[in-house]
Amino acid sequence: MRDQVQQVLDTLRQANGLYVASPSNTYHYVWVRDSCYIALSELERDNGRFESTYHSLLDIFRKYMWKLEYHAQHRPREAFEYIHPRYSANSLEEVSQPWGNAQNDAIGAFLFGVGEGLRRKKNMLRDKEDRRVISLLVRYLTTLEYWHDADNGIWEENREVHVSSIGACIAGLLAVRPFVDVPWEAMKQGLCSLYCTIPRESDSKDVDLALLSLIYPYRLLPAGLSEVIVERVEAALLRTHGVIRYPGDKYYSEDGREAEWCMGLSWLGICHALLGRHDKAALYLKRSQEVTTKAHEIPELYRPVSKTPNENTPLGWSHAMWLILYDMLHRDGQTSSID
């Protein structure tokens, strides 16, 4: 099944190495976050695809260098001032329509991927301009004071301080610190804010699927706290066809019941694999296969009452998480576990 899931994902890959989130009209855009998560499914391979995704993202940031330079010194206030997380698939221009554009986690995810690639000796930075982009993004997060900035978060909804966004920024700064200057104070402030808030996601959300990002890909938490997060997500959010994002989620809800996100099953499996629970991880892989369509497409979500996928099928992020879990369980040797 792996080949078929990969083939579907490849239909979303553009010639420049970026990915549209889904072929649907509503999701036919390039999101920084989605491309970064999808690229993680290529991280362990030496085919150049991981680097090409990041080179194209760097090209987008270079196009908006003036914005990076300005907001590296002047903190954005309105959502449209933030470094945009979403671009036209054709022109790679900012999408100008009103949107929850304050998404600090997308910048953290990008820096994390660059740092991970560099750590593996991949050719992530082509020249001085690429390195300048990274330095400006570090300054941007620092000027923004991301550790207490109310952003729209991973789900692009109401603005509040999100632990998953803080975690992404910390992980990104830590990842690039060996290669560019990163103020220690910016990381210390982030870590203090993170550990003062977890296991909550935010003031309005006690438990949230996004908290799993602190375990994978960012590996910011010790094993004991990772276990707490996984157990809370399973107890509160796990459903038959996926994992709801948080209690009370209105997106594609039916009769007061929340939509069930397919990638949550693979995400939980990855977390169990990192905790050394390979039998449990394998069960989640099986459950993920059960919600895959006959065309080997993994949806964004299933509607909770009608039990049908929504139009964002396939979703690139869902496919990438399945591939990452599959490869973890089939890789020679043991998956590196959380200590």
Side-chain angles (χ1 to χ4, degrees):
M1 180 175 169
R2 190 199 187 285
D3 289 345
Q4 291 91 335
V5 173
Q6 181 72 62
Q7 287 167 10
V8 173
L9 178 58
D10 287 346
T11 66
L12 305 181
R13 184 178 173 88
Q14 308 299 289
N16 57 16
L18 297 174
Y19 295 83
V20 294
S22 176
S24 69
N25 290 332
T26 52
Y27 273 21
H28 200 262
Y29 297 98
V30 170
W31 268 270
V32 172
R33 177 192 308 102
D34 287 55
S35 285
C36 289
Y37 270 88
I38 294 170
L40 289 173
S41 65
E42 302 284 355
L43 180 61
E44 302 293 338
R45 299 174 180 274
D46 294 321
N47 55 16
R49 290 172 62 133
F50 183 83
E51 298 96 313
S52 69
T53 297
Y54 277 87
H55 291 164
S56 290
L57 289 173
L58 281 162
D59 288 341
I60 292 176
F61 289 133
R62 286 167 69 147
K63 183 188 299 186
Y64 291 96
M65 188 74 84
W66 60 269
K67 189 172 187 177
L68 270 63
E69 290 174 339
Y70 182 81
H71 286 298
Q73 301 181 62
H74 303 87
R75 183 177 182 180
R77 301 292 179 178
E78 301 299 328
F80 71 87
E81 296 180 287
Y82 282 67
I83 306 303
H84 276 218
R86 184 175 65 133
Y87 298 84
S88 163
N90 296 322
S91 67
L92 299 183
E93 299 284 337
E94 288 182 349
V95 178
S96 59
Q97 71 187 76
W99 194 268
N101 284 321
Q103 296 175 35
N104 300 340
D105 75 287
I107 303 303
F110 173 77
L111 291 175
F112 175 79
V114 170
E116 281 293 286
L118 289 171
R119 188 170 68 85
R120 287 168 167 78
K121 310 300 183 186
K122 293 181 182 290
N123 180 31
M124 303 299 295
L125 304 179
R126 298 161 295 183
D127 53 31
K128 291 181 179 179
E129 282 295 283
D130 281 354
R131 188 173 294 273
R132 177 163 169 73
V133 166
I134 303 305
S135 295
L136 285 171
L137 288 175
V138 169
R139 288 172 56 194
Y140 167 77
L141 290 180
T142 303
T143 299
L144 186 62
E145 297 182 358
Y146 72 90
W147 51 88
H148 61 191
D149 184 62
D151 77 334
N152 295 109
I154 197 170
W155 307 131
E156 307 177 329
E157 295 184 332
N158 59 303
R159 287 187 69 169
E160 58 181 337
V161 178
H162 293 92
V163 161
S164 58
S165 291
I166 294 171
C169 293
I170 294 169
L173 294 175
L174 285 170
V176 299
R177 191 170 184 234
F179 312 102
V180 298
D181 182 51
V182 177
W184 168 243
E185 185 67 18
M187 290 184 289
K188 185 182 77 171
Q189 292 282 5
L191 287 165
C192 287
S193 182
L194 177 77
Y195 278 97
C196 284
T197 309
I198 52 174
R200 295 183 63 88
E201 162 67 355
S202 65
D203 285 344
S204 71
K205 297 181 180 69
D206 181 56
V207 61
D208 191 304
L209 175 61
L211 288 166
L212 295 185
S213 65
L214 304 179
I215 305 168
Y216 181 85
Y218 302 131
R219 305 194 190 197
L220 287 173
L221 308 179
L225 191 49
S226 297
E227 290 170 358
V228 169
I229 296 294
V230 168
E231 289 166 5
R232 283 166 56 85
V233 168
E234 288 178 326
L237 309 181
L238 181 60
R239 301 292 187 270
T240 304
H241 289 78
V243 181
I244 68 171
R245 298 189 299 181
Y246 53 86
D249 184 10
K250 298 295 191 294
Y251 182 71
Y252 280 94
S253 63
E254 293 179 331
D255 296 340
R257 294 167 60 182
E258 304 90 346
E260 302 171 17
W261 284 61
C262 300
M263 71 180 182
L265 297 173
S266 296
W267 212 340
L268 279 170
I270 292 167
C271 292
H272 278 291
L274 290 175
L275 289 167
R277 303 167 176 173
H278 295 280
D279 289 346
K280 194 73 177 285
L283 288 176
Y284 276 111
L285 182 66
K286 182 175 183 294
R287 290 187 63 172
S288 296
Q289 292 172 184
E290 291 169 353
V291 300
T292 302
T293 71
K294 292 181 180 179
H296 301 289
E297 296 178 340
I298 307 178
E300 177 182 50
L301 57 83
Y302 276 80
R303 297 174 176 88
V305 176
S306 59
K307 303 300 182 185
T308 57
N310 71 345
E311 73 272 17
N312 301 322
T313 303
L315 185 76
W317 196 349
S318 297
H319 277 250
M321 297 299 266
W322 188 93
L323 290 166
I324 291 164
L325 175 57
Y326 181 95
D327 289 346
M328 277 185 167
L329 293 174
H330 293 81
R331 192 178 302 142
D332 290 337
Q334 292 294 317
T335 299
S336 177
S337 299
I338 298 172
D339 293 328

